[in-house]
């Protein structure tokens, strides 16, 4: 197999690391990749949203499979682009087409989908500037806090949670007037759910599926989950509060109707689904769907999977997942995200990273790095996801933190409380 993997984050480095363990993998190309993926395959400096450039690699390199890491190329229709091109149509793509990608690309679509298939989720309404009065009335019926979500992709910034009704009305208007560009010309207003969150991952071929290990992600920049939202500051898998009884409910009330709904809607789907779930009074509710793997969740779930990942992806692509099962090891895996000073606001790139050779008993998954003249430089807000495994959270965390101390660059920051709430 010759696989082309699109993306450049910790998620892609962890996925590349897992794919590389398969004897079936002959060659791996990562576009654009980072300094970490460069050690596992060939990086090619191409933007995953530039479909013509991706096509050129696919044809020049005669790839056997395209694996799409981030959501944007999927929402923009890279799968349809491959299917509709006579020279590319035979190449399997891991990731949904444009219609399936609406589960992430449109909050309104995903809420309507959940409502139609009886999948538990927060009460909601969806409005535009023309129907803003309906939105105001809905807000007035609700209790604080108020949840406003831009319908479209807004680089993770499109969700506002507000305590004050007046402020919620003002923000609703400003969103509908384009606060997040086209993405917020439509807004989903939701009931606030008070509970504890986890991330659940499914690989499906459109009818059968396997469930990957679940994970808990730490989203805020500051310790004690305070401060600004980030892409994710750390993660843990397994999640102790997601016990067998709870996961059974997740299967029955969420995963099965989701896959069944896609099938009934005649939406072909070969790829990952990341379901953001919140546990309220021991019941699972869907917060959101994503049409990809999570980051930094991938950095803790890949080390727990024993099954060959190339086998699973080939089975998903050829609609043979019903013949597969997935096995996990007994490890607890933690990851601590090392970020650039200033992130998630302004930060500087290009700081030299030292000490990577001192990392032991774990993996430094590169999230935002770049190789230049033989040096590894910071190249993003999130820089390195320090993953480790052990018999329990404490054992794994001690290794993640020891390795995080050993690696240095100007402005290094990481949270010291990952997993402690568990
Ligand atoms: P989303 O982009 O939909 O995942 O929302 C971002 C974050 O906002 C989620 O991870 C939750 O922490 C929070 N959130 C979203 N919707 C709700 C809700 N209905 N109730 C409580 N928190 C929410
Ligand atoms: N860690 C959350 C995400 O990947 O969206």
């Amino acid at each position: 197999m010759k696989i082309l993997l699109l993306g450049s984050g910790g998620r892609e480095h962890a996925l590349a690391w897992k794919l590389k363990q398969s004897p079936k993998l002959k060659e791996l190309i990562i576009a654009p990749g980072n300094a970490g993926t460069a050690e596992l395959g060939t990086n090619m400096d191409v933007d995953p949203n530039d479909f013509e450039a991706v096509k050129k690699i696919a044809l020049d390199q005669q790839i056997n499979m395209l694996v799409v890491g981030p959501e944007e190329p999927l929402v923009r229709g890279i799968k349809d682009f491959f299917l509709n091109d006579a020279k590319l149509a035979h190449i399997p793509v891991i990731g949904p087409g444009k219609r399936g990608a609406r589960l992430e690309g449109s909050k309104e679509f995903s809420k309507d989908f959940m409502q139609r298939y009886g999948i538990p989720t927060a009460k909601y309404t969806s409005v535009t500037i023309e129907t803003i009065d309906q939105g105001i009335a809905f807000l007035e019926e609700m209790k604080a806090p108020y949840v406003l979500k831009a319908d479209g992709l807004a680089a993770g910034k499109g969700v506002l949670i507000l305590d004050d009704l007046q402020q919620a009305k003002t923000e609703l208007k400003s969103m509908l007037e384009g606060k997040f560009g086209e993405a917020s010309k439509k807004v989903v207003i939701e009931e606030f759910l008070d509970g504890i969150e986890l991330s659940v991952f499914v690989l499906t071929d459109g009818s059968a599926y396997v469930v990957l290990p679940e994970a808990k992600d730490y989203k805020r920049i500051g310790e004690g989950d305070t401060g600004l939202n980030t892409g994710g500051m750390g993660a843990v898998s397994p999640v102790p509060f997601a016990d067998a009884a709870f996961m059974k409910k997740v299967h029955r009330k969420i995963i099965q109707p989701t896959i069944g709904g896609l099938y009934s809607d005649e939406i072909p789907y070969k790829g990952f689904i990341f379901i953001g779930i919140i546990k309220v009074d021991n019941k699972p509710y869907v917060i959101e769907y994503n049409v990809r793997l999570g980051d930094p969740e991938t950095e803790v779930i890949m080390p727990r999977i024993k099954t060959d990942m190339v086998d699973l992806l080939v089975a998903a692509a050829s609609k043979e997942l019903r013949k597969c099962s997935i096995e996990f090891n007994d490890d607890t895996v933690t990851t601590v995200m090392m970020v650039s000073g200033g992130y998630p606001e302004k930060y500087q790139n290009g700081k030299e990273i030292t000490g990577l050779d001192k990392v032991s008993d774990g993996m430094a998954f590169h999230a935002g790095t770049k190789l230049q003249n033989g040096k590894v430089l910071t190249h993003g807000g999130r820089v390195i996801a320090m993953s480790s495994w052990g018999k329990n959270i404490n054992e794994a965390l001690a290794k993640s933190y020891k390795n995080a101390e050993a690696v240095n660059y100007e402005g290094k920051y990481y949270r010291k409380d990952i997993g402690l709430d568990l």
Side-chain angles (χ1 to χ4, degrees), residues 202-211 251 255-256 259 321-322 324:
V202 178
L203 174 66
T204 184
D205 61 13
S207 55
Y209 62 88
V210 292
V211 182
H251 273 253
I255 300 175
Q256 284 165 9
I259 307 297
L321 263 186
R322 75 196 134 74
C324 294

Side-chain angles (χ1 to χ4, degrees), residues 206-222:
S207 55
Y209 62 88
V210 292
V211 182
L212 280 58
E214 78 287 349
K216 183 175 194 296
D217 171 24
Y218 293 78
K219 291 199 164 77
R220 305 293 193 94
I221 188 73

Side-chain angles (χ1 to χ4, degrees), residues 59-365:
L59 296 179
D60 289 352
Q61 303 292 325
Q62 301 185 329
I63 63 161
N64 308 110
M65 178 182 278
L66 176 72
V67 179
V68 186
E71 64 280 10
E72 202 178 332
L74 294 167
V75 172
R76 288 173 180 235
I78 194 161
K79 166 79 170 237
D80 312 73
F81 176 85
F82 268 60
L83 266 183
N84 295 330
D85 186 303
K87 291 197 183 117
L88 299 175
H90 69 282
I91 301 173
V93 177
I94 297 297
K98 220 171 181 163
R99 285 177 66 219
R102 289 215 293 158
L103 280 182
E104 178 164 1
S106 166
K107 300 271 186 204
E108 181 188 48
F109 174 84
S110 77
K111 296 294 284 190
D112 288 351
F113 177 88
M114 288 183 254
Q115 181 165 287
R116 254 180 310 122
Y117 291 106
I119 297 165
T121 189
K123 286 197 203 77
Y124 75 103
T125 192
S126 169
V127 298
T128 60
I129 196 76
E130 284 76 34
T131 55
I132 187 168
D133 290 345
Q134 193 188 314
I136 302 274
F138 188 80
L139 283 172
E140 283 170 348
E141 283 167 26
M142 313 276 280
K143 282 189 300 213
Y146 304 93
V147 183
L148 305 179
K149 298 185 174 183
D151 174 62
L153 290 187
K157 297 195 175 74
V159 176
L160 300 183
I161 299 183
L162 306 156
D163 287 319
D164 178 71
L165 178 61
Q166 200 46 50
Q167 198 192 359
K169 291 180 185 174
T170 310
E171 285 292 353
L172 174 63
K173 182 157 181 284
S174 109
M175 284 174 83
L176 293 171
E177 284 171 351
K179 178 176 178 134
F180 301 110
E182 275 307 307
S184 69
K185 294 274 170 81
K186 201 182 270 173
V187 171
V188 168
I189 309 172
E190 262 186 31
E191 163 197 24
F192 180 82
L193 296 175
D194 194 6
I196 179 158
E197 287 179 62
L198 78 151
S199 308
V200 170
F201 300 91
V202 178
L203 174 66
T204 184
D205 61 13
S207 55
Y209 62 88
V210 292
V211 182
L212 280 58
E214 78 287 349
K216 183 175 194 296
D217 171 24
Y218 293 78
K219 291 199 164 77
R220 305 293 193 94
I221 188 73
E223 284 162 21
D225 247 347
T226 53
L228 293 174
N229 242 325
T230 72
M233 295 296 291
V236 176
S237 178
V239 180
F241 64 80
D243 55 24
F246 180 75
M247 289 308 286
K248 204 167 149 191
K249 291 182 203 166
V250 170
H251 273 253
R252 217 162 25 89
K253 293 186 180 293
I254 294 174
I255 300 175
Q256 284 165 9
T258 298
I259 307 297
L262 289 169
Y263 190 81
S264 302
D265 280 1
E266 295 180 32
I267 297 176
Y269 199 116
K270 292 171 179 172
F272 295 102
I273 308 180
F274 160 1
I275 314 177
I277 288 178
I278 190 161
K279 179 178 175 177
V280 184
D281 298 331
N282 219 15
K283 289 192 267 217
Y285 293 81
V286 176
I287 288 279
E288 62 163 352
Y289 288 111
N290 297 296
V291 297
R292 53 175 170 84
L293 288 170
D295 194 350
E297 289 94 330
T298 307
E299 292 93 304
V300 294
I301 66 183
M302 288 303 146
R304 288 196 57 215
I305 300 175
K306 282 208 274 189
T307 314
D308 186 307
M309 189 51 68
V310 172
D311 283 344
L312 289 174
L313 297 185
V314 168
S318 51
K319 279 188 101 45
E320 296 203 316
L321 263 186
R322 75 196 134 74
K323 296 184 193 156
C324 294
S325 57
I326 183 166
E327 275 189 78
F328 312 152
N329 59 42
D330 294 329
D331 289 338
T332 290
V333 187
T334 57
T335 200
V336 171
M337 189 62 82
M338 303 173 63
V339 305
S340 297
Y343 173 80
E345 296 184 284
K346 252 218 190 100
Y347 59 84
Q348 288 180 344
N349 281 333
K351 307 291 181 195
E352 184 176 356
I353 305 172
T354 57
L356 284 165
D357 54 325
K358 299 198 184 75
V359 172
S360 63
D361 211 2
M363 257 313 279
F365 289 120

